[in-house]
Amino acid sequence: MNAISLGPLMLATDRLYLIATVVLFFLGAELISYWAKHLGDKPNLGAALNASFWAALIGGRAFFVLGHLSSYQDNWLSVFYFWQPGYTPTAAVSCALLALAWYLRQQLRLWLTTSLWLLCCAALWWLLLLWQPLQGQKTAQTLPNIQLPTLDAVPTTIDLATLKQPTLINLWASWCGPCRREMPSLVSFAAKNPQIKVLLVNSGESAITVQQFVRETTEFNLPENLILLDPNQSLLQHFNAPGLPVTLAFNEGQLKDSHIGELNLARLQQMAARIQP
C-alpha cells in the first residue's frame, strides 16, 4: 500500500511527498533570497513565507470544510484537527500565492520568482502523486474468502462476491490511538448510511481484549454487530498494510478506494461516493 512505516509512525506516501515538496519550497526560497541580495535588493522573505504557509493551511482547510459542512455539524471542533484529511489543494496554493502577493507587493521581481517556485513545487507534488515512486507491494484488489468470527464467536464468512451492497472495512486495534479517535466517525457513518455495510475488523487481538475495550468505551456506543475479529491479521497481510488504521472501500467485490491512517467523517463520505451506484 502507499505508505511507509517509521517505527510506530505510519505515514501515507502522499503526505510524505507533500512534506518533501514543502521543505523543498522553503529551501528554494532561501536561495531566491540569497540571489535577490546578490542583485542588490533587500528581500525580507521571512514574514512572506510564514504568511504563505499559514494561508495555505487555513485556506485549504476552510474551502474543504465549506464544501462538506454536513460532515462537521456534529463536531465542529474537528475542523481544527489539522492532522486529519480534508484540504482543497487548489485553494491552498491560491491562498499562498495571495499571501506572497500581499507581502511582496513592493518587490515585483521577488514576488514573481517566489510565486513561480511555489507553482513548480506544487506541480512536483502532483507529479509525485501520479508517479508514486515510493509505492510498496501491489495492494490486493479483492477480499480473500476467509472465516472471521464475530464477538459472539459465530463464524462469519467475508466474501465480497456475495456482498451486493457497497462495503467499508476498517482495520483497527484497541492499542492504536488513531484507531480510537476515528472510531466515533465510523460508528456515526454506519448509523446514518445503512445502505453501506461497515465492518470494523480488529487486527491481532483476542475476543476478551476487544470485549473489554467495548465495555470501557463510554464516549460513544460501539455496536458489537459491526465488529469482526482477525487475530491472525489475515486482512492486514493480504492488503500489505504497513500498520493501523486502514480503511478500505469495496463495490461489487472490487477495491475502489483506500485510506491509510486516521480519517474523519468527510473522508468517509468521499470514500462512500466512490462505491455507491
Side-chain angles (χ1 to χ4, degrees):
M1 300 190 79
N2 293 336
I4 61 171
S5 181
L6 303 173
L9 176 65
M10 183 176 63
L11 189 65
T13 52
D14 57 346
R15 296 187 181 184
L16 183 62
Y17 300 147
L18 178 61
I19 293 172
T21 50
V22 168
V23 172
L24 181 64
F25 167 70
F26 279 96
L27 290 176
E30 288 297 322
L31 293 177
I32 291 172
S33 179
Y34 176 80
W35 167 75
K37 290 178 181 178
H38 181 72
L39 293 179
D41 295 336
K42 295 181 180 180
N44 184 17
L45 271 179
L49 294 177
N50 185 60
S52 66
F53 173 81
W54 287 107
L57 185 70
I58 296 172
R61 185 66 159 189
F63 272 79
F64 182 87
V65 170
L66 288 173
H68 301 81
L69 286 175
S70 60
S71 301
Y72 296 92
Q73 63 183 3
D74 294 333
N75 183 12
W76 285 105
L77 283 178
S78 63
V79 171
F80 304 102
Y81 297 169
F82 290 109
W83 63 88
Q84 291 185 346
Y87 293 89
T88 303
T90 52
V93 173
S94 299
C95 290
L97 288 172
L98 288 174
L100 288 175
W102 173 258
Y103 276 86
L104 301 176
R105 59 189 182 277
Q106 295 181 343
Q107 296 176 288
L108 180 60
R109 181 168 56 186
L110 185 61
W111 169 66
L112 289 174
T113 306
T114 308
S115 297
L116 180 60
W117 176 239
L118 173 61
L119 291 173
C120 288
C121 290
L124 175 62
W125 177 62
W126 179 71
L127 290 173
L128 288 172
L129 290 179
L130 293 178
W131 179 29
Q132 291 291 342
L134 298 179
Q135 185 173 11
Q137 292 180 307
K138 187 177 180 180
T139 302
Q141 297 300 304
T142 59
L143 275 172
N145 185 13
I146 60 175
Q147 295 273 331
L148 293 181
T150 61
L151 276 182
D152 56 6
V154 177
T156 301
T157 301
I158 294 185
D159 185 358
L160 285 187
T162 64
L163 292 176
K164 300 303 181 183
Q165 65 187 121
T167 304
L168 282 174
I169 294 181
N170 177 260
L171 307 182
W172 67 282
S174 63
W175 50 262
C176 168
C179 300
R180 296 195 300 269
R181 288 195 298 268
E182 72 178 4
M183 195 161 288
S185 295
L186 287 157
V187 172
S188 175
F189 178 86
K192 296 177 180 179
N193 298 272
Q195 76 280 11
I196 296 179
K197 189 174 186 64
V198 177
L199 298 173
L200 307 179
V201 180
N202 180 271
S203 183
E205 296 183 303
S206 67
I208 295 176
T209 300
V210 178
Q211 288 169 344
Q212 182 179 0
F213 172 76
V214 172
R215 288 194 301 269
E216 293 176 351
T217 301
T218 58
E219 298 86 359
F220 62 98
N221 180 37
L222 179 54
E224 292 189 7
N225 66 324
L226 297 181
I227 299 176
L228 295 176
L229 302 175
D230 186 9
N232 296 322
Q233 300 184 331
S234 302
L235 290 182
L236 198 69
Q237 296 173 28
H238 180 73
F239 291 105
N240 299 313
L244 298 171
V246 172
T247 306
L248 308 164
F250 294 89
N251 185 27
E252 296 295 332
Q254 296 295 317
L255 180 66
K256 298 298 183 180
D257 198 359
S258 63
H259 184 88
I260 301 171
E262 184 178 348
L263 47 60
N264 52 20
L265 191 57
R267 179 68 177 107
L268 282 170
Q269 291 178 343
Q270 284 183 330
M271 298 180 77
R274 295 285 306 277
I275 59 177
Q276 292 189 97

